[in-house]
Amino acid sequence: MSSPAPQTHTPPGAPPPAPPYEIKIVSHSNLFYWWPVWAVGFIVGFLTIMGSHRMAVVPKETKAYRNALVEVKEGDRTVTYRDRDVLVTPKAGDLPPVGKLNEPADDPHFHIATEKSYGVLFVIVLLLVIVITNVPMRGLWSVVAIVTIVALAIIFSLAEYNGRSWWDHILEWLGRLHIYINAAGYLMFSFALLAVWLVTFFFFDPQIYMVFNPKQLRVRQEIGGGEAAYDTTGMVIQKQRNDLFRHWVLGLGSGDLIVNTSGSTAHHFDMPNVLFVGYKLRQIEDMLREVQVTSG
């Protein structure tokens, strides 16, 4: 004969067993949407390192000459360089380390790219992320913004000045725009931003959450605050994903979750910047639907 299965008992004072399953919703900060800044910074930073150019730090009034003849004294001998491009500073001691004539001048060692579009791209991405994360354009405003951009693009292509379209003049001006950042500038900024991004995403953001189980909703609305519990009976849940640029372009399908509880403890909750909000909402609805069917 087989012995009966052992029964588990909850010790006195121990917390009750966990519900069958729970669904946790985390509200992320707007810093999540800054991932394109550090991503582009790393890309252009490594492209700059892969280049073979270095930046020379020289004072103003430095002159550049081509095909020059240079004689350099190295110890007891004189070395002659012919047909070289040279930079001539106003006086001795202008090259780093500045003013230390008894020390040899530092060779250029700062990695820099000759491609001016790297700096322009980085600045444009940075400015776009700042605008998108701080100027929300929901619903109709997103449509207005897209229609305005398309209309301006058509107008600029049709309008002419001095026999050339406005786009030709704009692109020519952008072609003259030079923004140079050395590799350390890109990488240090990107590493620092990524470190803050990771700490915020994996440590601070999970402190603000909602936890749904078949019978109860637990909410924490601030870091270090306590939880509040609400009954799921009569609860209404909605998703809001109407900011095209923030939710779709930068958020990769994120959205805001709106929850309204019912009964004597009725409360309204807004959980912004929830990743995969559509999938999470379907999970919650399926769980509550199963509870209703089981109760029925």
Side-chain angles (χ1 to χ4, degrees):
M1 296 179 62
S2 59
S3 59
Q7 296 181 355
T8 58
H9 299 278
T10 302
Y21 59 92
E22 294 182 334
I23 301 172
K24 186 175 182 179
I25 303 295
V26 174
S27 177
H28 292 279
S29 66
N30 282 341
L31 187 61
F32 165 73
Y33 300 114
W34 280 65
W35 64 266
V37 178
W38 55 257
V40 172
F42 280 125
I43 293 173
V44 294
F46 286 120
L47 289 176
T48 302
I49 289 179
M50 292 171 60
S52 58
H53 291 83
R54 303 294 183 268
M55 180 177 65
V57 180
V58 296
K60 66 178 182 178
E61 299 180 359
T62 298
K63 300 295 183 180
Y65 297 96
R66 292 193 184 277
N67 301 321
L69 175 65
V70 182
E71 292 185 352
V72 180
K73 203 168 187 181
E74 295 182 356
D76 296 333
R77 65 192 185 98
T78 301
V79 181
T80 301
Y81 297 95
R82 301 178 182 275
D83 299 328
R84 301 299 179 92
D85 295 342
V86 298
L87 296 172
V88 180
T89 60
K91 64 181 186 301
D94 281 339
L95 293 179
V98 178
K100 298 181 180 180
L101 296 177
N102 58 339
E103 297 182 12
D106 294 339
D107 292 329
H109 58 276
F110 298 112
H111 291 266
I112 196 73
T114 57
E115 183 61 54
K116 59 179 180 287
S117 61
Y118 291 173
V120 176
L121 173 64
F122 181 75
V123 171
I124 289 176
V125 170
L126 176 61
L127 293 177
L128 285 176
V129 170
I130 291 174
V131 172
I132 291 175
T133 55
N134 290 276
V135 184
M137 290 179 286
R138 298 181 179 275
L140 183 60
W141 282 108
S142 296
V143 178
V144 171
I146 295 174
V147 171
T148 302
I149 293 173
V150 173
L152 288 176
I154 295 174
I155 292 173
F156 287 174
S157 63
L158 297 178
E160 292 187 356
Y161 177 73
N162 289 339
R164 301 168 60 194
S165 69
W166 286 9
W167 273 125
D168 292 336
H169 291 284
I170 293 173
L171 294 176
E172 181 181 357
W173 178 81
L174 289 176
R176 296 176 180 175
L177 180 62
H178 291 213
I179 299 177
Y180 291 104
I181 303 174
N182 66 355
Y186 290 124
L187 296 180
M188 288 302 296
F189 180 86
S190 300
F191 272 118
L193 180 59
L194 176 60
V196 175
W197 190 91
L198 290 174
V199 171
T200 303
F201 186 86
F202 289 105
F203 179 74
F204 289 111
D205 286 352
Q207 307 298 319
I208 302 176
Y209 58 81
M210 287 181 173
V211 177
F212 294 84
N213 64 49
K215 295 295 184 181
Q216 195 179 60
L217 165 66
R218 306 197 313 272
V219 182
R220 176 188 280 178
Q221 294 183 285
E222 58 184 15
I223 298 176
E227 284 189 352
Y230 301 88
D231 191 359
T232 58
T233 304
M235 184 172 58
V236 178
I237 310 173
Q238 297 174 311
K239 70 175 179 180
Q240 193 173 58
R241 191 191 283 168
N242 51 9
D243 190 327
L244 175 64
F245 301 101
R246 185 161 59 94
H247 290 154
W248 288 104
V249 178
L250 298 182
L252 307 176
S254 65
D256 303 335
L257 195 69
I258 301 173
V259 178
N260 292 283
T261 61
S262 61
S264 58
T265 58
H267 205 283
H268 175 85
F269 298 101
D270 288 319
M271 298 291 285
N273 308 328
V274 177
L275 298 183
F276 313 112
V277 64
Y279 173 71
K280 294 286 189 180
L281 182 58
R282 286 193 298 270
Q283 280 187 314
I284 297 170
E285 290 175 342
D286 291 342
M287 178 184 68
L288 297 179
R289 191 178 300 112
E290 289 176 5
V291 173
Q292 294 174 355
V293 171
T294 305
S295 301

